Amino acid sequence: MNKLYPSAKLALNDVVRDGISIMVGGFGPSGIPENLIQALLDLKTQNLTVICNDFGMDNFGLALLLETGQITKIISSYVGGNKTFEQKYLEKKVELELNPQGTLAEKIRAGGAGVPAFYTKTGVGTVVEEGKEVREFNGEKYLMERSLFADLAIIKGWKGDKIGNVIYNKTARNFNPLMAIAASTTVCEVEEIVEVGSLDPNNIHTQSVFVKRLILGEKYQKPIQYLTTRPRG
Amino acid sequence: MAWTKDEMCQIIAHLELKEGLFVNLGIGLPTKVANYVPEDMHVIFQSENGMLGMGPSPYEGEEDPDLINAGKQTISALPEASYFDSATSFAMVNGSHIDLTILGALQVSEKGDLANWTVPGKMITGMGGAMDLVTHIKRVIGIMDHVAKDGSAKLVKECNLPLTGVNVMDRVITDLGVFDINEEGMFLIKKPEDVTLDEIISKTEAKFVVKLL
């Protein structure tokens, strides 16, 4: 079994089509599948529903797919600080569904685990409650939230072996392992391909069963959004 | 004189931080509270993008794009650090395993409702993790200016901005005082020495009882 594809474009070419839903890993500019996003730009797939934590930076990552008008719906927790989003939203070119971040994470985790819905207290008494079933448990109100499952997940790992075991680096993990389990097809890009058997089986973050295709990322920009440092003292 | 922002952070750190607490600090001003952890106290900071044991800003040249906080700033890791995915992170939050959160506020009502995520008419940004944090973390502290830029009160009877959470706040610090909120109402427990009660009352819409420590 070899899941390794020669390029991001070839890994996506026959799994994308107009109108599909795509989960995209990352938090801010950290853990973004940069090469797979570039392939979506090249393939010009249209009318995409994108599920992602946030819209990160201008001129990078998902903002590029917004600029080209390929994204028509966003399911997210945070879209602040992105001028491309603001412009498309004001022009009514993109639809937005906001979720509290913990609810979004659980919708994805549950969707991947075969759980269709769950109850949470987050959002009770706020706009998040609108249109949702409210149920009491132990005298307290909870909202029913429906899980998410997408046609495709594109994720970014640090190291992956050829059978699809993947590990992440530091806070670049974030939503990536959740999304890996919550799509019909998961395509993962990594910074380094390693031989089967060289990753520690005790420390695999995403197991091979979830990853259908794997590519070695051709190049990485990995920008820093807000650089904060302290002087050496 | 009203308290400065640094004084507010120092006061709230002194009142709230205790040995062994797991703490989540909101984006912006609340991150400064970490500067006032006493040397002999061990507090563990969570960042909801997937980290426990967050350290200070990295030394120049040691910044790592794979190591950021929820505000997307570069950070460092302490030896005790661990990394995890976003569902595990919010299991820590929503399962009430995190002891304390300190976060910015736009309005707080006398019943403890919080509005801090959006202003109608301004560009929408999203709630991020704020609703989860205030709903589930054991102790929720707000930090804000006492009045808005237009002079209107931010400690109010009822929030007229969209809510982040209902009856979630335990305490608020402003430049004019520290206010506790519980089932019995709102209480002023501390104020800058030379700020008069009359001034605080005139700048506060919420009803509160003076119960200085």
Side-chain angles (χ1 to χ4, degrees), chain A residues 55 58 63 66 74 79-80 82-91 94-96, chain B residues 123-125:
Chain A
F55 252 76
D58 286 306
L66 259 182
I74 297 166
V79 291
N82 192 300
K83 289 195 176 60
T84 317
F85 169 80
E86 288 183 16
Q87 186 198 331
K88 295 284 177 185
Y89 187 74
L90 292 172
E91 290 170 0
V94 66
E95 188 188 334
L96 174 67
Chain B
M123 191 59 211
I124 192 137
T125 58

Side-chain angles (χ1 to χ4, degrees), chain A residues 77 79 101 122 170-171 228 230, chain B residues 57-58 64 66 74 125 128 136:
Chain A
S77 85
V79 291
Q101 198 169 105
T122 306
K170 301 174 186 166
T171 58
T228 50
R230 67 189 145 134
Chain B
S57 300
D64 179 349
D66 286 346
T74 48
T125 58
H136 299 279

Side-chain angles (χ1 to χ4, degrees), chain A residues 19 22 25 36-37 43 45-46 61-62 76-77 81 85 94 122 130 132 152-153 168 171-173 178 194 210:
Chain A
I22 309 184
L36 291 163
I37 289 173
L43 291 164
T45 320
Q46 301 297 314
L62 286 170
S76 184
S77 85
F85 169 80
V94 66
T122 306
E130 284 170 19
K132 287 176 186 153
L152 173 68
Y168 305 92
T171 58
R173 189 181 317 188
L178 308 177
V194 298
F210 299 119

Side-chain angles (χ1 to χ4, degrees), chain A residues 2-200:
Chain A
N2 183 4
K3 296 175 176 173
L4 193 57
Y5 276 66
S7 74
K9 207 170 164 181
L10 284 169
L12 289 183
N13 191 37
D14 61 336
V15 292
V16 294
R17 58 186 191 284
D18 293 351
I20 61 169
S21 56
I22 309 184
M23 295 206 184
V24 183
F27 189 112
S30 200
I32 300 284
E34 299 182 33
N35 293 278
L36 291 163
I37 289 173
Q38 183 58 49
L40 287 173
L41 287 165
D42 295 342
L43 291 164
K44 299 187 166 58
T45 320
Q46 301 297 314
N47 197 20
L48 300 173
T49 293
V50 164
I51 300 155
C52 61
N53 177 60
D54 65 275
F55 252 76
M57 302 167 74
D58 286 306
N59 308 312
F60 175 72
L62 286 170
L64 302 173
L65 281 170
L66 259 182
E67 268 169 38
T68 55
Q70 289 170 258
I71 300 174
T72 49
K73 184 175 179 185
I74 297 166
I75 299 172
S76 184
S77 85
Y78 190 79
V79 291
N82 192 300
K83 289 195 176 60
T84 317
F85 169 80
E86 288 183 16
Q87 186 198 331
K88 295 284 177 185
Y89 187 74
L90 292 172
E91 290 170 0
K92 297 194 174 10
K93 296 270 174 63
V94 66
E95 188 188 334
L96 174 67
E97 181 194 308
L98 282 174
N99 293 271
Q101 198 169 105
T103 298
L104 183 67
E106 189 61 16
K107 279 181 169 207
I108 298 166
R109 194 207 64 80
V115 177
F118 58 93
Y119 290 91
T120 177
K121 239 193 297 190
T122 306
V124 169
T126 76
V127 292
V128 172
E129 185 177 318
E130 284 170 19
K132 287 176 186 153
E133 181 192 312
V134 178
R135 194 165 157 185
E136 279 196 18
F137 295 91
N138 304 320
E140 295 208 59
K141 280 187 182 175
Y142 290 77
L143 306 183
M144 189 178 81
E145 294 281 2
R146 288 179 187 277
S147 305
L148 289 166
F149 195 86
D151 297 309
L152 173 68
I154 56 174
I155 62 167
K156 152 79 174 49
W158 177 32
K159 295 179 184 180
D161 69 20
K162 290 172 185 170
I163 209 150
N165 290 309
V166 174
I167 61 169
Y168 305 92
N169 188 36
K170 301 174 186 166
T171 58
R173 189 181 317 188
N174 55 65
F175 277 75
N176 282 296
L178 308 177
M179 292 175 168
I181 76 169
S184 302
T185 305
T186 292
V187 181
C188 178
E189 62 174 83
V190 292
E191 291 177 51
E192 191 181 339
I193 302 279
V194 298
E195 290 303 319
V196 173
S198 68
L199 295 174
D200 177 0

